[in-house]
């Protein structure tokens, strides 16, 4: 189970997903030198989506005997992580608009390094899916030799 490289990729994807819960994603400096942060816990929908991504990655680790199901769930998780990236982007825009609507002026804003953790999740999930697919092809080729 853990000796397969895709299990390590799934574990790293789950760890990166869990890390998004604890770090700020976006920072805005307002005109009165107040710093405002956006993190995943600021939006309930984004937080729940990352929880689903982490749980699905952890479940996929233990489905090593059912490679087809593991592959399908990993591909589903890839689509969920793409959706999470898009949703995170729009929630940051909503947060910035809410700040400006509240009468505050944003002097500078930037994404923080933790904003790239979802991209890392996507890469790890893609590598895991590729490894699962290679294992499935290997098993099928060995069955043909018998």
């Amino acid at each position: 189970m853990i000796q397969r490289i895709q299990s390590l990729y799934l574990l790293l994807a789950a760890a990166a997903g869990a890390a998004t819960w604890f770090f700020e994603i976006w920072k805005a400096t307002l005109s009165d030198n107040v710093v405002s942060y956006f993190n995943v816990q600021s939006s309930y929908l984004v937080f729940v989506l990352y929880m689903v991504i982490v749980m699905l990655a952890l479940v996929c680790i233990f489905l090593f005997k059912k490679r087809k199901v593991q592959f399908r769930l990993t591909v589903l998780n890839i689509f969920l992580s793409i959706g999470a990236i898009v949703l995170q982007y729009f929630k940051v825009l909503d947060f910035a608009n809410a700040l400006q609507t509240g009468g505050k002026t944003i002097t500078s804003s930037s994404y923080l390094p933790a904003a790239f953790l979802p991209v890392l999740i996507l890469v790890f999930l893609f590598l895991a899916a590729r490894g699962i697919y290679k294992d499935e092809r290997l098993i099928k080729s060995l069955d043909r030799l018998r």
Side-chain angles (χ1 to χ4, degrees), residues 52-97:
V52 169
I53 289 170
V54 168
M55 295 312 255
L56 198 56
L58 290 176
V59 165
C60 284
I61 291 174
F62 298 105
L63 291 174
F64 59 92
K65 289 188 179 182
K66 301 176 184 177
R67 285 176 305 279
K68 289 181 183 180
V69 174
Q70 186 183 34
F71 179 74
R72 288 183 182 143
L73 287 179
T74 304
V75 169
L76 173 69
N77 211 359
I78 288 172
F79 287 124
L80 286 176
S81 64
I82 290 170
I85 292 169
V86 171
L87 184 65
Q88 174 183 313
Y89 173 75
F90 284 117
K91 287 296 183 178
V92 167
L93 281 180
D94 288 343
F95 185 72
N97 289 337

Side-chain angles (χ1 to χ4, degrees), residues 29-64:
T29 305
L30 305 176
S31 59
D32 52 355
N33 289 333
V34 174
V35 178
S36 182
Y37 292 101
F38 177 83
N39 57 12
V40 171
Q41 296 174 358
S42 300
S43 172
Y44 181 73
L45 185 60
V46 177
F47 182 70
V48 168
L49 188 57
Y50 280 117
M51 284 181 65
V52 169
I53 289 170
V54 168
M55 295 312 255
L56 198 56
L58 290 176
V59 165
C60 284
I61 291 174
F62 298 105
L63 291 174
F64 59 92

